[in-house]
Amino acid sequence: MKHTFFFLLLLAVTTGRAQNNTVNLIPQPVQVQPLSGSYTLKNGAAIAYNKPDAKAVADLLAQRLSTPTGYSIKAQSGKTGAIQLRLTDTPDNQLGKEGYTLESSPKGVIITANQPAGLFYGAQTLMQLLPAAIEGQTVTKANWTLPAVRITDYPRFGWRGIMLDVSRHFFTKDEVKRYIDQLAKLKYNTFHWHLTDDNGWRIEIKSLPKLTEVGAWRVARAGHFGERADPKPGEPTTYGGFYTHDDIREIVRFAQERNVTIIPEIDVPGHSMAALAAYPELGTTKNPNTSVNPGTRFSEWYGNGTFKMLVENTLNPADEKVYEFLDKVFTEVAMLFPNQYIHVGGDECYKGYWAQDPGCQALMKKLNIRHVEDLQGYFMNRVEGILKTKGKRLLGWDEILEGGISPDATVMSWRGIKGGIEAAHMGHDVVMTPTTFAYLDYQQGEASVEPPLYAGLRMKKSYSFDPVPDGVDPKYILGGQGNLWTEQIPTLRYAEYMTYPRAWALSEVYWSPKEVKNWENFAQRVEKHFERADAANVSYSRALYDAIVKTSVKGDKLVLQLESEMPGLDIYYSIDDTMPDNQSPKYAQPIELPEGPITLRVITYRDNKPIGHLITLKRDDLRRRAGRE
């Protein structure tokens, strides 16, 4: 069996690097074997399923095929159909719960799996084998042909997630469904829903109506997050929104149909300003003027990762009413979300207000603890106890390790991979989601071209991620996740732009065997998926076509280095105040820049046509980059 597995990996690597142009799948399957011929989808084709559990997948596939083709494609029970969905009678251990085989020939397509999840993922692969126009929502005339191929596929990790923050900016029910639908096509199976924070409480809690009457709304503000004006007394709170219980049930059902589990996050004890705006008595200062934050500068961050809150945003760990409040919240959250986890945040909890509070000091004395930081461990243990009474497990950001947590708690490692390594060595299950590889809100291209942000993350870096660090037992690494925080993301269209194509890269990180990963081949497949995204009207970044501008200092000279993520691009530049084109100097090796007030202009070409953004940087900009990665 071991020899067979490595043969399949070798074959996958070979076919992954030399696929024909009709097979451009993301994420890359374990094995792709091109065959002779092709299959053309015809009007009236049937999708047959052999067991009732496969009906839902067949119905969804029939709908997706019928919409852009205009064909009448029906799902039907039985074993005769151009497309057949087969659940095994005897499980294939290699495929597991989510794996599948797909074989297409001139006669049709057969997808086989142990469970409906595998059939669903096989159906996503089938869709990717068809022309890009299959992703559209209007009828299109096309040759609906897919190549003959034999595919064996199953995921590397069981947790393949994306997080969407809906607190900083609210996204409607239909927008959330659209976002989930696109993720499911990439074989993501987890949607982490960040529902509460300082900037808005987004989930209806019927027993605590002020959470949405007050906490879901803030004053309208434009401009960069962190630079906006404070709310004025009596100013109307017109921006926001929330999801009712019925909304959530609808979204959960929608996700379940696409094999996606929704993990809700209620971020405590920090990041709770929206909750305190609704119920100020739950803080230590009990400030009745607390408001939902519209994006003001409410904290001071220091270079060593520490910070100070200028406004209280933490729940009071010494107040029993806080735990009564949380019991009500988690009762309703647990009722709405059927999965085993509730994410409770635990990150960036400022404890300065606790240190000044007599009640917290008394609690510390009672617990015989010397450091105020240890109050978070007490708080989290109380929260975990509440969750257990609801039949749920605690999941939190890696700060939850600092106060001591039970062995049942699961850790999301976001501050690099260090917290995940520590948690795994302690026997905790871990989801790897480090800023260094998985933060989708970071700039993905040239800083002078894209809107300003404090950090960058290119797709090639995301693609290089391995969620299992050296020296860690893989059994503790559940998988990984990309995170999209939305301080600077006000619309779904821009959320898509920031998500893709980096989420394509991460989908391959989390699904495909690491042995089949190949950047050059992946970059070529990304271009084909740009066409699919265009057909689906999904926004994405083209930053991989832009030049990467680096500088260093050699003696008293400033040295320029240029490169690109996309292989095979030509890079042209000018330093003489002319607009560069393919007749300008072509970059071939590092360049010592002359002294003086020069301006660098850089553009990429392919096949003698411009393809990337024009990048313009003055000498001072270039000098500041010296020494940067």
Side-chain angles (χ1 to χ4, degrees):
M1 186 68 184
K2 182 183 294 184
H3 294 300
T4 301
F5 176 73
F6 282 107
F7 170 75
L8 292 177
L9 287 179
L10 180 61
L11 183 60
V13 170
T14 303
T15 57
R17 293 180 180 175
Q19 287 181 359
N20 62 57
N21 290 333
T22 57
V23 181
N24 291 284
L25 304 173
I26 296 177
Q28 179 81 313
V30 173
Q31 179 192 14
V32 180
Q33 182 181 355
L35 304 175
S36 298
S38 61
Y39 168 69
T40 300
L41 185 68
K42 301 292 186 182
N43 195 4
I47 300 174
Y49 56 92
N50 68 336
K51 296 183 181 181
D53 285 351
K55 182 179 186 301
V57 177
D59 287 340
L60 196 61
L61 179 58
Q63 178 186 347
R64 286 191 63 193
L65 292 174
S66 298
T67 298
T69 63
Y71 293 169
S72 176
I73 297 175
K74 303 293 185 183
Q76 62 186 36
S77 176
K79 296 183 179 180
T80 57
I83 299 172
Q84 298 182 32
L85 305 183
R86 298 177 178 175
L87 289 172
T88 58
D89 293 321
T90 303
D92 182 336
N93 292 332
Q94 182 187 42
L95 298 182
K97 295 180 180 180
E98 296 181 298
Y100 64 93
T101 62
L102 183 153
E103 184 163 346
S104 59
S105 70
K107 295 180 180 180
V109 181
I110 300 173
I111 301 173
T112 305
N114 296 326
Q115 296 190 18
L119 293 180
F120 178 83
Y121 293 131
Q124 307 320 303
T125 297
L126 168 61
M127 293 292 292
Q128 288 193 21
L129 291 170
L130 287 163
I134 200 70
E135 300 293 344
Q137 294 299 307
T138 57
V139 176
T140 303
K141 288 186 177 181
N143 182 13
W144 302 111
T145 296
L146 57 89
V149 67
R150 183 180 293 120
I151 294 172
T152 300
D153 202 12
Y154 44 85
R156 181 184 178 193
F157 295 104
W159 187 298
R160 306 179 302 279
I162 294 288
M163 185 218 73
L164 178 64
D165 165 22
V166 296
S167 173
R168 275 50 178 251
H169 284 286
F170 178 69
F171 297 87
T172 67
K173 175 182 65 176
D174 288 340
E175 288 175 332
V176 172
K177 289 165 66 175
R178 173 181 166 90
Y179 194 76
I180 291 172
D181 190 49
Q182 294 300 325
L183 297 178
K185 294 177 183 180
L186 296 163
K187 302 183 175 68
Y188 283 101
N189 67 356
T190 303
F191 177 64
H192 175 174
W193 205 1
H194 187 82
L195 289 163
T196 74
D197 213 298
D198 298 318
N199 313 105
W201 184 284
R202 305 297 181 209
I203 176 171
E204 177 186 32
I205 303 297
K206 291 181 182 291
S207 59
L208 296 162
K210 287 185 179 179
L211 284 174
T212 46
E213 291 172 359
V214 176
W217 305 94
R218 64 179 188 243
V219 298
R221 289 287 185 273
H224 202 279
F225 238 72
E227 299 175 359
R228 299 176 177 181
D230 289 321
K232 300 174 183 176
E235 186 177 1
T237 54
T238 57
Y239 179 86
F242 64 93
Y243 309 100
T244 67
H245 281 200
D246 286 343
D247 290 337
I248 290 170
R249 291 188 186 99
E250 181 181 334
I251 293 170
V252 167
R253 283 194 301 270
F254 181 89
Q256 287 174 331
E257 291 169 355
R258 288 152 179 79
N259 200 52
V260 173
T261 297
I262 298 183
I263 307 294
E265 181 180 356
I266 307 298
D267 202 348
V268 293
H271 290 278
S272 295
M273 203 178 302
L276 293 178
Y279 297 99
E281 64 272 18
L282 299 178
T284 61
T285 61
K286 308 187 187 310
N287 182 0
N289 297 317
T290 302
S291 59
V292 180
N293 191 273
T296 70
R297 179 179 170 272
F298 57 48
S299 61
E300 291 180 350
W301 283 84
Y302 309 118
N304 59 0
T306 62
F307 68 103
K308 175 183 178 181
M309 286 299 302
L310 306 177
V311 183
E312 185 179 30
N313 74 336
T314 50
L315 302 177
N316 182 355
D319 190 344
E320 285 300 312
K321 291 181 180 178
V322 167
Y323 303 104
E324 295 172 8
F325 164 84
L326 291 174
D327 187 85
K328 292 179 179 179
V329 169
F330 290 129
T331 293
E332 298 190 31
V333 173
M335 176 181 66
L336 293 168
F337 295 94
N339 82 91
Q340 63 175 317
Y341 288 108
I342 293 178
H343 199 301
V344 297
D347 62 312
E348 298 176 338
C349 176
Y350 176 67
K351 304 170 183 70
Y353 292 97
W354 294 358
Q356 300 171 14
D357 179 66
C360 289
Q361 293 298 316
L363 177 60
M364 290 174 62
K365 185 175 181 180
K366 178 181 177 181
L367 297 174
N368 194 29
I369 57 177
R370 296 175 56 189
H371 302 292
V372 70
E373 288 80 7
D374 294 332
L375 281 179
Q376 182 165 344
Y378 167 80
F379 178 92
M380 282 300 172
N381 278 292
R382 292 286 302 269
V383 168
E384 186 171 25
I386 293 171
L387 294 184
K388 285 182 177 179
T389 68
K390 320 300 176 191
K392 300 295 184 181
R393 293 180 61 186
L394 182 144
L395 172 65
W397 303 111
D398 55 51
E399 285 97 330
I400 65 175
L401 290 169
E402 295 170 2
I405 52 175
S406 81
D408 292 336
T410 298
V411 175
M412 275 194 175
S413 185
W414 73 277
R415 295 178 297 177
I417 61 174
K418 180 181 178 182
I421 294 172
E422 179 185 347
H425 286 327
M426 295 169 63
H428 293 288
D429 287 338
V430 175
V431 178
M432 284 293 192
T433 178
T435 59
T436 42
F437 296 98
Y439 266 45
L440 302 177
D441 53 306
Y442 284 7
Q443 280 179 333
Q444 53 201 319
E446 167 58 40
S448 67
V449 172
E450 296 203 345
L453 286 167
Y454 55 90
L457 174 62
R458 290 189 175 269
M459 181 169 64
K460 190 175 182 179
K461 181 71 177 290
S462 291
Y463 190 75
S464 71
F465 180 37
D466 186 351
V468 181
D470 292 340
V472 170
D473 190 335
K475 73 178 183 180
Y476 293 114
I477 307 300
L478 300 181
Q481 180 173 290
N483 294 330
L484 187 67
W485 303 101
T486 60
E487 285 91 341
Q488 294 303 122
I489 300 176
T491 66
L492 178 68
R493 185 77 176 164
Y494 198 57
E496 292 173 346
Y497 174 88
M498 295 300 287
T499 301
Y500 306 115
R502 288 180 295 189
W504 302 347
L506 290 176
S507 77
E508 195 148 301
V509 168
Y510 302 144
W511 178 277
S512 306
K514 65 179 180 180
E515 293 86 353
V516 309
K517 287 173 57 184
N518 177 276
W519 169 254
E520 288 76 15
N521 174 260
F522 175 74
Q524 293 170 10
R525 285 181 280 129
V526 163
E527 292 194 278
K528 294 298 182 181
H529 280 254
F530 284 165
E531 298 174 13
R532 308 187 75 85
D534 288 339
N537 196 27
V538 170
S539 183
Y540 56 87
S541 167
R542 295 169 61 89
L544 83 163
Y545 293 125
D546 294 347
I548 300 172
V549 181
K550 299 181 179 180
T551 57
S552 59
V553 176
K554 182 179 179 182
D556 59 352
K557 294 289 186 179
L558 189 61
V559 180
L560 173 70
Q561 301 96 31
L562 302 175
E563 59 187 66
S564 67
E565 285 185 283
M566 174 59 71
L569 300 188
D570 296 319
I571 306 175
Y572 297 94
Y573 68 95
S574 69
I575 55 175
D576 58 359
D577 278 340
T578 61
M579 295 296 286
D581 61 13
N582 59 349
Q583 302 302 309
S584 301
K586 181 179 178 180
Y587 179 80
Q589 60 188 16
I591 304 158
E592 289 189 0
L593 294 172
E595 295 296 331
I598 61 169
T599 298
L600 172 73
R601 292 178 174 87
V602 180
I603 193 166
T604 54
Y605 271 66
R606 185 166 65 187
D607 298 330
N608 288 318
K609 294 181 181 179
I611 194 168
H613 288 101
L614 173 68
I615 298 170
T616 303
L617 297 167
K618 294 184 177 298
R619 185 181 186 87
D620 287 346
D621 300 323
L622 296 169
R623 185 173 293 280
R624 279 191 291 268
R625 293 191 179 204
R628 288 189 187 177
E629 299 237 340

